[in-house]
Amino acid sequence: YNMLQTSLQFAFFMAQWEEYHTLVLPHNAGKWCGVTEVNYASALGAICVSLIDREAFFQKSMEDTLAPLGLTGGVVKDMELRHFLLCGWGGMSLILMGLSLKRTLCHPRIAGEDMDASEIRFNRINALSKLASPFLLCVAAFIVPPEFIRTRYLSVVLGCALSLLTKKMIVFSMAKMPYAIIQTDVFPFIFAAIWIR
């Protein structure tokens, strides 16, 4: 569950981070994968999942899932469907975050043709450094052993912290204000995660 939440919220933060540096808010990746399509697909998926026996469906092995199609499953045959889908989600998130990173670091405001190499390097390091605080939050969520705290408690606090950072990035972008590399708002969560560990 941590992987799903952190990838979703970190990807959303990266979209705001991209807008902060490029002044362009990305809302699609190619012609067919945009915000609207993802929202409609999420809503349709939520409706479909509410109508089925979730445990029976998502805990099936991939071998059982693919058998009606005449496929053997190969290397994923021992995985449960939920884990397979989570890996697909993680892969899609990594691709979208990678595209955001590429667009930002190659944007003319960061790496313009009229800039020398040292200025481009400084701009890129400065832009990347803004990802430090949300990245540390995501890492801290994974160091907490699941047997020490209920996932829901960790999820709510992590969600609030990442939401706060995202809102700050949006407001600072709109106000054309500098966004600090290290946001002190992350320290309580990180210290609590270290303490629990």
Side-chain angles (χ1 to χ4, degrees), residues 27-162:
H27 57 275
N28 65 355
K31 287 183 176 183
W32 309 108
C33 185
V35 173
T36 305
E37 290 80 14
V38 171
N39 283 335
Y40 282 135
S42 298
L44 182 63
I47 291 169
C48 291
V49 166
S50 72
L51 299 173
I52 63 171
D53 180 6
R54 290 180 293 283
E55 288 184 17
F57 183 75
F58 287 114
Q59 291 181 356
K60 284 193 314 189
S61 71
M62 285 302 294
E63 187 173 29
D64 294 341
T65 305
L66 296 175
L69 301 173
L71 303 171
T72 60
V75 295
V76 298
K77 71 178 181 179
D78 295 329
M79 292 177 79
E80 290 181 4
L81 177 61
R82 62 184 173 162
H83 297 139
F84 179 77
L85 293 173
L86 189 60
C87 288
W89 172 265
M92 184 185 77
S93 294
L94 285 174
I95 289 169
L96 291 174
M97 288 186 267
L99 290 170
S100 178
L101 194 66
K102 180 181 180 244
R103 285 189 303 264
T104 303
L105 296 181
C106 296
H107 194 270
R109 289 176 50 92
I110 301 290
E113 293 178 8
D114 57 336
M115 299 177 185
D116 62 4
S118 63
E119 187 177 2
I120 292 172
R121 188 177 321 106
F122 174 79
N123 289 342
R124 286 180 173 167
I125 291 171
N126 184 39
L128 287 171
S129 67
K130 307 286 195 262
L131 297 173
S133 292
F135 181 76
L136 289 173
L137 278 176
C138 293
V139 169
F142 284 100
I143 68 168
V144 176
E147 61 270 8
F148 289 139
I149 190 167
R150 289 184 58 189
T151 305
R152 181 165 296 176
Y153 298 147
L154 180 70
S155 174
V156 168
V157 176
L158 176 64
C160 289
L162 283 168

